[in-house]
Amino acid sequence: MKPVTFLAALLALAACDTQVETRKDVVPAAEQAATPAPAAASLTAAGPAATLQPETAPDVQQAAAVVQLDELKAQGQLTAKLFGTGGGDPAMNGLYTHLAFFQGPAEGWRVFRLGDVLEYRVLSEARGRVDLEIEESVMDEAAGSIGSRTRRVIVGWAVAADGSAPPTVTVTPAQ
């Protein structure tokens, strides 16, 4: 009977450990990913349900195709973002990657298509510039097979004193 009491006390003390959150970095990432999140309590209806109809505007269809979004936050008063839409042949890239600058409510966004890639990753950002790592499919015509390559690019634009969207952007190969 005493070992059971001792085990219960030990478990109770372990549950009171205030250092659990600070020790998460010690747990291997594979174990953290395997640990399920605690289930949230279900909500209880508190009024009648509203029935919604599907959206039919064409631009909503385009918005639904967005599969990646990265806000660029180092651009001062200029609102900028990178985004990728799904489309094309998924065996050969398929992430249409864009850079967009907000011009204002009347004009909307000024959008530049950077390319069709498998994926992109923002390496760094500074005012008037974003450095990207791009993974893309390439066709080996001689072998008749699809391979892949990783490349880096600097996407740049002139920073306007008034914070307006740039008229052009440049894409420069980088190391």
Side-chain angles (χ1 to χ4, degrees):
M1 197 71 157
K2 288 185 180 183
V4 172
T5 305
F6 176 75
L7 182 60
L10 183 62
L11 289 174
L13 285 173
C16 296
D17 186 357
T18 60
Q19 299 300 313
V20 170
E21 288 300 316
T22 60
R23 289 195 323 247
K24 277 188 176 178
D25 59 330
V26 176
V27 177
E31 287 182 33
Q32 286 182 9
T35 306
S42 295
L43 298 176
T44 303
T51 301
L52 305 176
Q53 299 301 318
E55 290 289 332
T56 58
D59 48 343
V60 173
Q61 287 295 316
Q62 293 170 344
V66 172
V67 295
Q68 183 172 346
L69 175 67
D70 294 282
E71 289 183 66
L72 300 179
K73 298 183 180 195
Q75 303 308 315
Q77 63 189 33
L78 181 61
T79 301
K81 62 183 171 183
L82 284 165
F83 68 95
T85 59
D89 181 358
M92 191 69 180
N93 298 312
L95 181 66
Y96 297 135
T97 305
H98 302 83
L99 174 62
F101 302 94
F102 189 66
Q103 300 178 97
E107 300 88 4
W109 293 87
R110 180 171 291 159
V111 180
F112 299 91
R113 183 169 170 180
L114 302 178
D116 180 11
V117 302
L118 283 173
E119 63 181 326
Y120 72 85
R121 184 170 64 101
V122 175
L123 298 174
S124 66
E125 175 194 358
R127 205 157 165 192
R129 171 185 174 140
V130 62
D131 296 348
L132 301 177
E133 182 174 78
I134 296 172
E135 185 75 28
E136 59 191 346
S137 298
V138 290
M139 177 59 87
D140 181 347
E141 298 292 336
S145 63
I146 297 173
S148 66
R149 72 175 172 194
T150 302
R151 63 187 179 102
R152 293 178 172 191
V153 297
I154 301 165
V155 181
W157 55 92
V159 176
D162 65 357
S164 62
T168 61
V169 300
T170 59
V171 179
T172 306
Q175 295 182 23

